[in-house]
Amino acid sequence: MNDPDPQPPKSIWVDADACPVVIKEILFRAADRTRVSVTLVTNQAIRVPPSRYIKTLQVPSGFDVADNEIVRRMAAGDLVITADIPLAAEVIEKGGLALSPRGEMLTAEEMGARLNMRDMMDTMRSSGVEVGGGPPPLSQSDRMAFANQLDAWLANST
């Protein structure tokens, strides 16, 4: 019997300019293994392996151009890979899921606090206060957490 209201397949969108290579490689393997569409949105040319499930979308350079394109094209239930908190907030608001390259599934409940912290750090930096050197390098446990969250999403959406 046919499902009267079949759900369209879910897609993965990648904020690719800042996405670590090792995370992209995990996504490439998952795309071919599960036949899920992975689109890397970038403002520069990048190499991807030949696959009918992996695409790149190059957008013009500019502030938030790639982010805006991801939000415009994604659908509710899609997964977006990003460490960009404002992008994650927009994705969640549109009904998508946001997964950081460190394997943290970002939620609507924590977006307000994360946006406030980001704004405070931006304010401190713009006023001349030196603020840390950025996040630590991606660890093996970060990679494992990412792969586990990805696998859980894939199991629930394909």
Side-chain angles (χ1 to χ4, degrees):
M1 187 163 116
N2 289 342
D3 185 352
D5 188 20
Q7 294 294 314
K10 305 294 186 236
S11 298
I12 298 174
W13 299 88
V14 184
D15 185 7
D17 289 323
C19 187
V21 171
V22 68
I23 298 304
K24 291 176 192 168
E25 290 169 353
I26 291 169
L27 290 164
F28 298 156
R29 287 191 300 271
D32 283 331
R33 185 181 79 240
T34 63
R35 298 178 178 164
V36 69
S37 171
V38 173
T39 303
L40 293 95
V41 182
T42 176
N43 58 29
Q44 56 193 346
I46 59 172
R47 289 185 146 188
V48 298
S51 169
R52 64 187 293 192
Y53 306 107
I54 302 167
K55 302 176 204 75
T56 59
L57 174 61
Q58 189 171 349
V59 297
S61 293
F63 185 71
D64 286 344
V65 174
D67 297 358
N68 294 338
E69 194 64 23
I70 290 170
V71 171
R72 187 176 78 76
R73 291 179 179 241
M74 61 149 296
D78 284 356
L79 180 66
V80 175
I81 311 304
T82 186
D84 183 307
I85 298 303
L87 172 56
E90 286 187 74
V91 165
I92 292 167
E93 188 174 303
K94 192 172 173 181
L97 293 119
L99 176 61
S100 82
R102 295 186 181 277
E104 186 177 12
M105 193 63 79
L106 303 167
T107 66
E109 292 76 29
E110 63 190 12
M111 278 299 109
R114 284 181 178 255
L115 287 167
N116 287 340
M117 177 61 80
R118 179 186 171 279
D119 292 345
M120 182 184 76
M121 298 301 266
D122 281 349
T123 300
M124 289 173 66
R125 277 190 288 274
S126 65
S127 66
V129 175
E130 285 194 39
V131 181
L138 212 59
S139 70
Q140 184 62 36
S141 63
D142 291 333
R143 292 177 209 155
M144 183 64 74
F146 178 85
N148 289 341
Q149 289 284 7
L150 178 62
D151 284 344
W153 180 82
L154 288 166
N156 290 322
S157 64
T158 56

